[in-house]
Amino acid sequence: VRLPHLMPLFTPMYVFTSHICAHFQTQPRLVSKVLSLQRWLHHAHATPIHFHKSIKLGTSTSGFDFDFNFDVLIRVCRDINIAKMLHTLLIVLGKAQDVILSTKLVNLYASLGDITFSRSTFNQLQRKNIFSWNSMVAAYVRSCRRHEALSCFNEFLLVSGLRPDFYTFPPVLKACVNLIDGKKIHCYVVKLGFERDVFVAASLINLYSRFGALDVAYELFDEMPDRDVGMWNAMISAFCQNGNADEALHVLNRMRSEGLKMDPVTVSSVLPVCAQSGDIVSGMLIHLYVIKHGLEMDVFVSNALINVYSKFGRLGDAQRVFDHMEVRDRVSWNSIIAAYEQNDDPTTALRLFKEMQFVGIQPEFLTIVSLASIFGQLSDRRISSSIHGFIIRHEWLEKDVVIGNALVNMYAKLGAMDCACTVFEQLPVKDIISWNTLITGYTQNGLASEAIDAFNMMEECTKIIPTQGTWVSILPAYSHVGALQQGMKIHGRLIKNCLYKDVFVATSLIDMYGKCGRLVDGMSLFNEIPRETSVPWNAIISSLGIHGDGEVALQLFKDMLAEGVEPDHITFISLLSACSHSGLVNEGERCFDLMQKEYGIKPNLRHYGCMVDLLGRAGYLEKAYNLVSSMSMQPDASIWGALLSACRIHGNVDLGTFASSRLLEVDSENVGYYVLLSNMYANVGKWEGVTKVRSLARGRGLKKIPGWSSVVVGNIVEVFYTGNQTHPKCTEIYEELRVLASKMKSLGYVPDYSFVLQDVEDDEKEQILMSHCERLAMAFGIISTPPRSPIRIFKNLRVCGDCHNAAKFISKITERDIIMRDSNRFHHFKHGICSCGDYW
């Protein structure tokens, strides 16, 4: 016996022949032959070695049939242990040097995931032919061992004395890990005259497209005198993989004009292009072609159709394709589950997952990726932890970074950023998507500083190259803290990378400039970028809204319609919010009606929230309450919160008390709502109500979010909390405030004590007002920057009414522009006037 690694399998032969019989029970003739061998061994009490000797010595085995069809045995084998038994049997029967059978064993071991046995079997062959070498190279490629594949090919050239054929090069080209290696192999192809072979040429096209050399790939394609469907598919796929949808469709049209019909591979390649280019019409025409030519039963085609319809949000069409499939594989189920998950319908996605289990299809890691997102959307922490446990038990976290990224995303959606960070740190390999997911999670959970810290750590990883997703993730974090200088640096990098005109990146930049108080720069960028979709329009309308330019926002909406851009539900949220900030009640009501009657968009909770805020802020409290009462869905905390806020502004304690009771029913853990109710009582002097609400909040373990204001001085962001006494320049700040207070009073300023929410004496109230965080930030900005330069302040809560009034006086006294962004909107103070017109 020549293979030491097979020695453990030489148990008595009749034991493992029984295993072979069980494995091949659907092959009666083979089973009878194996049983014949088993009987002989049993009667002879022979070991495998004795049997091998008896064959060599010519010992009689009459009456027993050993004419095994190993070709069929190998072809139907699906178990690695049975494969080793067959290999042992080959050795015992003296057929181990049969080059054809041994080469098939090489392929069998590779297909069963044991490349080590493949190589050992290959090495035992004394006379290797071209078929053996090709099989070994291909086995390495199928096992993703590209370096070993190239080494094997080089060994073949050096020691075999054989000439490569056209079967040699496709797997070798697939094994190339860089373009230099690929060009070397291309030289061999040309030298041996295989460049006109369609299989080799298609592999060359695939090679160059993998490394982005589409011009070379297309030149090879164009020079081919004869092109079969495989060649056309290779070229279409090349353009698809490099995101060039227009060229892919152009090649498809050329192919059809030459009389070639699309096959399932063509359809499966080109449908994703239609989704990528937003061309639903072409996608539907291809679907018609599929039905006309009877391709709809092909499982790959149906899977591609499900994916393309899901990308356009056409879940009904995706479901119909799925329902008409006669055969559904795991990919089919994964595709339909992902379709609902990616289109914000996690409930249906979960139901389909249960149906998938019911029909006996077990989940694999792509299913789990969708499930993680589903449970994140459903905010189900208990089952989400179970998903994490399932992944750990299968050791998928170590095997595939996609699973780890899905877990980070799931915990981020649940708001559990500590768990998300823990999973992120445990990832053995972190790719750019891992970093993007972590940064996005921090940003979406309001942890802008942590998002910026994560981005800075990512920048230290030299092998990680930022992508579109990175910029879209980090720019909102800079927007949140008002880090204009850092945001502008990102803009400069994007200009160098030619990414600043990408619609999603540009939209993030517009949002950043708008939220950092540079509306002119945001508008300038908006005028430079493509505006075929509603995304950039929504961003600039929203920016105008928070700056109080409601009328300009409405005019932009008219321009948008004139340019043929279809508004979506986000457009109307931005519009209604802009109308609310500017007090444009009639215009807001018209937009609300237009959305439903003209565009068929059903209002969701965010639309209703904007309308309640619009009506309530303008003083139409009864109208706002009637709208809430007539809603077709259950009002959430944001609706009752908007109504309570309006009641606080206008002093309607009765309606405010009612709204607060409903509010605490749907969200009793949000401390902000207790503060809002307490402030309402404080404004009208009902201190017993203040005490009761604060006691209720303390009893539930809730603490008020501290108010803070930041001011940008140079490249440094200074943060001040109300009553701050620890700043190095504390003495200078309070001295400046006393000087300013004296000058303000001489101009007619009178402190508004209604904004002091403590029941104390008037002199103490004045001191409390002076120590509000926005007042401290203004004073620090004045003493730390050149005269008449603008001051930019960002506040996490709504600006105090007295501080708003004081800011108008300070802007006049210091002859400065003071730009302040609070939790609701921007205030531009200049020459004693605020851009909000005292309406906010």
Side-chain angles (χ1 to χ4, degrees), residues 641-684:
L643 185 60
L644 176 58
S645 179
C647 292
R648 184 191 69 80
I649 293 170
H650 296 287
N652 191 326
V653 177
D654 293 336
L655 183 57
T657 304
F658 172 77
S660 67
S661 65
R662 294 300 177 88
L663 180 60
L664 298 181
E665 285 177 10
V666 295
D667 188 1
S668 61
E669 300 301 315
N670 190 324
V671 69
Y673 298 138
Y674 293 88
V675 173
L676 198 58
L677 180 59
S678 172
N679 291 353
M680 183 184 70
Y681 284 128
N683 284 346
V684 294

Side-chain angles (χ1 to χ4, degrees), residues 469-483:
T470 314
W471 309 124
V472 172
S473 302
I474 191 59
L475 283 168
Y478 288 139
S479 304
H480 184 76
V481 299

Side-chain angles (χ1 to χ4, degrees), residues 114-171:
D114 199 327
I115 194 66
T116 304
F117 267 64
S118 282
R119 183 68 198 207
S120 297
T121 306
F122 175 77
N123 288 342
Q124 293 300 316
L125 273 173
Q126 295 174 1
R127 298 175 63 86
K128 303 177 181 71
N129 61 11
I130 185 66
F131 173 51
S132 308
W133 284 101
N134 289 350
S135 296
M136 194 63 243
V137 173
Y140 276 128
V141 173
R142 286 198 303 274
S143 302
C144 300
R145 308 277 280 270
R146 294 183 173 183
H147 290 290
E148 288 93 331
L150 290 175
S151 296
C152 187
F153 173 69
N154 290 329
E155 183 185 349
F156 164 55
L157 294 177
L158 291 171
V159 305
S160 72
L162 299 171
R163 184 177 184 270
D165 62 8
F166 51 82
Y167 287 115
T168 308
F169 290 104

Side-chain angles (χ1 to χ4, degrees), residues 408 418-428 430 438 442 457:
V408 174
D418 52 343
C419 296
C421 189
T422 301
V423 173
F424 176 81
E425 290 171 353
Q426 291 173 350
L427 294 178
K430 300 176 181 69
L438 183 69
Y442 279 129
M457 283 191 290

Side-chain angles (χ1 to χ4, degrees), residues 32-91:
S32 70
K33 293 178 183 297
V34 175
L35 288 173
S36 179
L37 171 63
Q38 188 182 44
R39 286 196 303 272
W40 185 88
L41 288 167
H42 181 72
H43 290 299
H45 302 289
T47 66
I49 304 299
H50 294 151
F51 178 69
H52 184 55
K53 287 180 179 178
S54 70
I55 295 294
K56 289 182 70 176
L57 296 171
T59 306
S60 172
T61 57
S62 61
F64 300 98
D65 179 10
F66 298 127
D67 182 21
F68 289 93
N69 190 336
F70 280 98
D71 183 60
V72 176
L73 282 168
I74 291 170
R75 190 163 62 248
V76 298
C77 182
R78 295 291 181 271
D79 183 274
I80 187 67
N81 291 320
I82 299 298
K84 292 174 183 178
M85 292 175 185
L86 286 173
H87 194 173
T88 305
L89 195 55
L90 265 178
I91 296 169

